[in-house]
Amino acid sequence: MAKTEKQIAKDMKLVDAVVEIIDARIPYSSRNPVLSRLIGAKPRVVVMNKADLADPNETVKWLAYFQQQGFGALAVDSKSGKNVNQLLPQVEHVLKDKIAQWREKGMAGRKIRIMIVGIPNVGKSSLINRLARGSKAAVENRPGVTRSNQWFPVGKNIELLDTPGVLWPKFDDPQVGEHLAFTGAVKDDVLDTELLACRLLETLCEISPAILEKRYRIAAEETEGLNGAALLELVGKKRGMLAGGGMVDTERAARMLLEEFRSAKIGRITLEQAGM
């Protein structure tokens, strides 16, 4: 990670603006504070990707929050391409003063260089592939696919610099780590899946017990006073995930729950309120 940070800091001098991609479901937790420090005062557009999985009402509030911070802000779904065509106009807007200076100096048409940054699994490569149709970046639904910095042309006047997803070494707030794990930004094979599912169920109940009622037909009164382990047992029973002796297969139930949350089958959910 230190090597990647050093490279990003070096390349920051080569670009005119930065596009910071975050997960619309966890707009606070998916912002790497190290990247924010490296970006500094460079013109920035915050792209809330995976907006199709997030609560649209909360997304509107977060967009307003980022705009109040002086950033360009945009909600997109890079898989379907929704709103992706609005990104480059946003970049030109945050660079309008610099572009005017270029024109005054006889440099109209100068190429705009943009750095794409974000944590693992926020959809950087999918977004780049939408923008740079002829030059494909590796895309997989797992963190850590992009291994090195790569330039991609977009039309005649724009170049995108992709960078590897970077997580910071220590989460000061344990909730940040949990939220990253819920959404798949942390590799599942280094986690206790059942414990993670228990914490997700507790979090969902805190947001609204109606979430479990709608998807798993668990009435709100059934969840009162239950911890995550008991909630996972209940979800497993409702889905008929029984092992030998009538015991609930909690490992299978945990995998199912995480998959259904990440794909929004449970619903479009934002875990964090604007301005946390």
Side-chain angles (χ1 to χ4, degrees), residues 263-276:
S263 61
K265 291 177 182 176
I266 294 177
R268 296 178 65 177
I269 299 167
T270 300
L271 298 178
E272 301 166 348
Q273 294 183 337
M276 286 181 62

Side-chain angles (χ1 to χ4, degrees), residues 174-192:
Q175 189 178 73
V176 168
E178 284 185 347
H179 287 183
L180 290 169
F182 292 159
T183 57
V186 179
K187 294 179 180 179
D188 284 339
D189 55 11
V190 301
L191 302 168
D192 183 326

Side-chain angles (χ1 to χ4, degrees), residues 157-275:
N157 297 323
I158 294 176
E159 291 182 338
L160 303 178
L161 177 60
D162 189 16
T163 58
V166 183
L167 281 176
W168 52 116
K170 182 181 179 182
F171 305 128
D172 294 329
D173 183 350
Q175 189 178 73
V176 168
E178 284 185 347
H179 287 183
L180 290 169
F182 292 159
T183 57
V186 179
K187 294 179 180 179
D188 284 339
D189 55 11
V190 301
L191 302 168
D192 183 326
T193 304
E194 291 179 60
L195 179 59
L196 186 62
C198 290
R199 284 295 301 128
L200 176 58
L201 284 166
E202 291 172 352
T203 301
L204 294 176
C205 281
E206 290 171 8
I207 295 172
S208 172
I211 294 172
L212 299 185
E213 183 172 5
K214 184 177 180 180
R215 182 63 183 174
Y216 302 112
R217 298 180 181 178
I218 299 173
E221 54 267 24
E222 292 182 78
T223 66
E224 289 182 10
L226 296 185
N227 62 17
L231 288 168
L232 185 59
E233 289 264 352
L234 191 54
V235 168
K237 284 181 182 178
K238 292 287 185 178
R239 280 297 177 88
M241 294 181 171
L242 303 179
M247 299 289 289
V248 175
D249 187 340
T250 52
E251 183 178 353
R252 182 183 169 201
R255 291 197 304 269
M256 176 274 299
L257 178 78
L258 290 169
E259 187 279 325
E260 294 202 343
F261 169 74
R262 292 169 183 173
S263 61
K265 291 177 182 176
I266 294 177
R268 296 178 65 177
I269 299 167
T270 300
L271 298 178
E272 301 166 348
Q273 294 183 337

Side-chain angles (χ1 to χ4, degrees), residues 133-170:
R133 297 180 184 277
S135 303
K136 295 295 184 180
V139 178
E140 289 187 35
N141 188 26
R142 61 183 177 87
V145 173
T146 302
R147 299 295 183 184
S148 60
N149 295 4
Q150 305 172 70
W151 285 100
F152 296 91
V154 178
K156 295 181 179 179
N157 297 323
I158 294 176
E159 291 182 338
L160 303 178
L161 177 60
D162 189 16
T163 58
V166 183
L167 281 176
W168 52 116
K170 182 181 179 182

